[in-house]
């Protein structure tokens, strides 16, 4: 179904995107994650924070830090969860300095850290 929607350029809703991302969780299927991301971009959903959180974590779980960082850059008004996702992704994938830089950027933004960040 995802391939057909992607090929035909059928837009999806945020709830469908969320459901598709949930299906991808734990599979580490990079091709599937990229397909869902493509659908989200085509549907104008790539700037929504809670969907970005999922995508960042999924790309990171596949070892794709560049794509995780690109998703983060597109998110409008990142939440503490979005920041946590990108900071964790960078730290887990060997970019500790970048993780600290992101943490400092978060502190300078209007987002306040919680006990997990």
């Amino acid at each position: 179904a995802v391939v057909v929607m992607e090929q035909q350029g059928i837009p999806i809703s945020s709830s469908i995107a969320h459901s598709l991302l949930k299906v991808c969780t734990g599979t580490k299927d990079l091709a599937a994650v990229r397909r869902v991301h493509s659908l989200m971009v085509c549907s104008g959903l790539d700037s929504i924070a809670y969907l970005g959180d999922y995508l960042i974590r999924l790309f990171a779980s596949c070892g794709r830090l560049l794509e995780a960082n690109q998703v983060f850059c597109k998110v409008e008004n990142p939440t503490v969860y979005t920041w946590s996702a990108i900071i964790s992704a960078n730290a887990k994938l060997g970019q500790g300095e970048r993780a600290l830089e992101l943490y400092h950027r978060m502190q300078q933004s209007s987002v306040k850290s919680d006990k997990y960040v």
Side-chain angles (χ1 to χ4, degrees):
V2 174
V3 175
V4 172
M5 289 189 299
E6 184 180 32
Q7 288 173 343
Q8 295 183 2
I10 298 171
I12 59 171
S13 67
S14 59
S15 60
I16 290 173
H18 184 249
S19 295
L20 292 171
L21 290 169
K22 284 173 105 175
V23 170
C24 291
T25 302
T27 66
K28 294 188 180 182
D29 183 348
L30 181 58
V33 175
R34 284 179 170 159
R35 275 191 222 104
V36 174
H37 183 217
S38 175
L39 283 170
M40 289 172 56
V41 170
C42 291
S43 301
L45 303 174
D46 55 327
S47 63
I48 298 174
Y50 81 95
L51 296 174
D53 304 349
Y54 260 105
L55 270 174
I56 291 166
R57 293 181 195 286
L58 288 169
F59 278 129
S61 72
C62 294
R64 305 301 297 189
L65 187 56
L66 178 62
E67 287 165 287
N69 280 310
Q70 289 170 339
V71 168
F72 178 76
C73 289
K74 296 280 185 174
V75 172
E76 295 176 7
N77 305 313
T79 66
V80 68
Y81 303 108
T82 316
W83 283 102
S84 176
I86 197 61
I87 291 167
S88 295
N90 278 271
K92 288 178 182 175
L93 294 173
Q95 297 299 314
E97 250 182 71
R98 173 85 171 130
L100 284 173
E101 176 188 313
L102 287 163
Y103 179 74
H104 293 302
R105 278 182 49 202
M106 182 189 72
Q107 287 182 316
Q108 293 170 351
S109 76
S110 61
V111 175
K112 301 297 178 215
S113 62
D114 62 10
K115 64 182 180 180
Y116 302 107
V117 181

